[in-house]
Amino acid sequence: MLMPYSEFLRTTGLCQEQAQRAWTLISKAYPWQQHMQKASVGAEQWLTTGDSHIDRLLGGGIRMGSIVEVVGESAAGKTQFCLQLAIAAQLPRDSGGIGGDVVYVSTEGAVPTSRLATMIGPFSRAHKGMQAASIMQHIQVAELEDMESMFHALNYKIPALLATGNVRLVIIDSIAAHLRFDLDGEGSRKSQDFYKERSSLLIQLGAKFKKWAAQYSCTFVCVNQVKDVFQPQSLLRDTNDSEQSTQASGADLESEFAMVRSNKAPALGAIWASIVNVRIMLYQRRGLAPAG
């Protein structure tokens, strides 16, 4: 059971006394839950997205201690949005920042550091006292070309960085790159074994992310890709995805969030959809001239 106390209380429908007793028992069984309990008692902390309209839609920005998914088609602005978060994180807390380091993990090629540097310039000028060199020093990047290197980083490097207490935001761009296709390179993508193995990996990742988010009061932002949806109910009938065929309620939820305009839906199925706390879906409005 991996959720903040306020969400636990709302989900279970228990009275305050019963919920507190149950929460205490869970905290004893899973000691890391105590970190989440302490965090839930104090004021919640939010990271600004750098856009007041998005912050308002999200209820204040990105809530610390959560798992956030950013999903959209190619060129929808997912990486741009994540780079903006990495920069905004450097702001003082009273300005919407989190005053901590950022780890930016790229699984789809080189991290666009030149674009990041270009974005930092106007940011540092708008916020006096924020030096571009200092901002770059607090953003650590990693480029992981295959699944083996990705899981090595998630099992060893990321936990070590989080243990320093300095890292407050981890961005993975993208979580889907090494999990949408063949796990062994021998055609298992079409077999039930592929989806079973992928489901297991996603569950393990979700448990790790939620544990670390609670323990270190950090947030994970994961970029996801999209898949084609030919019919609204095809998500429920997709026999290729075993997790979707066995998790009807999760598939229902996913179909509700399908990108109707472009017949797209988030990849990785219902298992991943049940892990994230917030899903931010980006898409381009065709035919409009870019602002500015």
Side-chain angles (χ1 to χ4, degrees):
M1 197 276 302
L2 307 169
M3 60 179 69
Y5 177 74
S6 58
E7 186 177 345
F8 171 74
L9 181 63
R10 183 174 61 255
T11 302
T12 59
L14 299 173
C15 69
Q16 185 74 30
E17 182 180 354
Q18 293 173 325
Q20 187 61 52
R21 188 182 302 117
W23 186 263
T24 300
L25 291 173
I26 293 171
S27 297
K28 290 180 179 179
Y30 301 95
W32 57 266
Q33 285 277 11
Q34 296 171 2
H35 296 277
M36 185 182 286
Q37 185 176 14
K38 292 178 182 178
S40 66
V41 174
E44 291 183 318
Q45 187 177 352
W46 302 80
L47 167 64
T48 179
T49 63
D51 187 301
S52 59
H53 299 290
I54 298 178
D55 286 348
R56 187 164 54 252
L57 288 172
L58 295 175
I62 303 294
R63 181 170 62 84
M64 300 307 297
S66 61
I67 313 299
V68 178
E69 177 191 56
V70 179
V71 61
E73 297 181 72
S74 177
K78 302 185 296 296
T79 295
Q80 187 81 3
F81 181 79
C82 290
L83 292 175
Q84 187 165 306
L85 286 180
I87 298 172
Q90 310 306 314
L91 285 170
R93 295 188 179 187
D94 58 3
S95 298
I98 53 177
D101 289 358
V102 177
V103 175
Y104 196 111
V105 176
S106 174
T107 62
E108 299 188 37
V111 176
T113 51
S114 58
R115 194 198 316 179
L116 179 62
T118 301
M119 295 171 63
I120 287 176
F123 178 87
S124 60
R125 289 192 294 271
H127 300 275
K128 300 193 182 298
M130 302 291 293
Q131 300 297 321
S134 176
I135 294 173
M136 288 293 290
Q137 288 177 355
H138 290 281
I139 302 176
Q140 305 182 51
V141 301
E143 298 166 3
L144 309 176
E145 298 180 352
D146 51 41
M147 183 160 20
E148 183 178 356
S149 60
M150 182 180 78
F151 277 92
H152 183 271
L154 292 174
N155 287 327
Y156 300 102
K157 294 182 179 180
I158 300 299
L161 290 171
L162 290 172
T164 65
N166 298 323
V167 175
R168 301 296 311 285
L169 177 64
V170 178
I171 298 172
I172 303 176
D173 184 5
S174 71
I175 193 69
H178 302 317
L179 290 172
R180 289 193 67 185
F181 307 108
D182 234 332
L183 292 177
D184 58 14
E186 297 179 358
S188 65
R189 180 165 57 91
K190 297 180 180 179
S191 68
Q192 291 289 333
D193 291 340
F194 167 81
Y195 297 102
K196 289 179 181 178
E197 185 175 354
R198 188 180 74 175
S199 296
S200 177
L201 290 173
L202 288 173
I203 291 171
Q204 293 175 42
L205 283 179
K208 287 177 184 290
F209 291 170
K210 288 180 178 286
K211 175 181 177 180
W212 294 335
Q215 185 173 352
Y216 299 111
S217 298
C218 65
T219 288
F220 284 80
V221 175
C222 303
V223 174
N224 193 7
Q225 300 169 354
V226 296
K227 62 182 180 181
D228 292 315
V229 178
F230 299 102
Q231 295 179 5
Q233 295 300 316
S234 63
L235 292 170
L236 300 177
R237 298 196 300 267
D238 187 356
T239 57
N240 289 332
D241 262 334
S242 63
E243 70 266 25
Q244 291 180 3
S245 62
T246 58
Q247 300 280 341
S249 60
D252 265 327
L253 178 64
E254 186 175 351
S255 66
E256 290 178 9
F257 285 98
M259 295 179 173
V260 178
R261 289 178 180 270
S262 54
N263 293 323
K264 302 289 184 181
L268 298 184
I271 293 294
W272 176 251
S274 68
I275 290 171
V276 300
N277 302 115
V278 177
R279 169 172 283 169
I280 300 173
M281 305 184 75
L282 304 178
Y283 69 93
Q284 290 183 325
R285 299 182 66 180
R286 310 297 181 184
L288 294 182

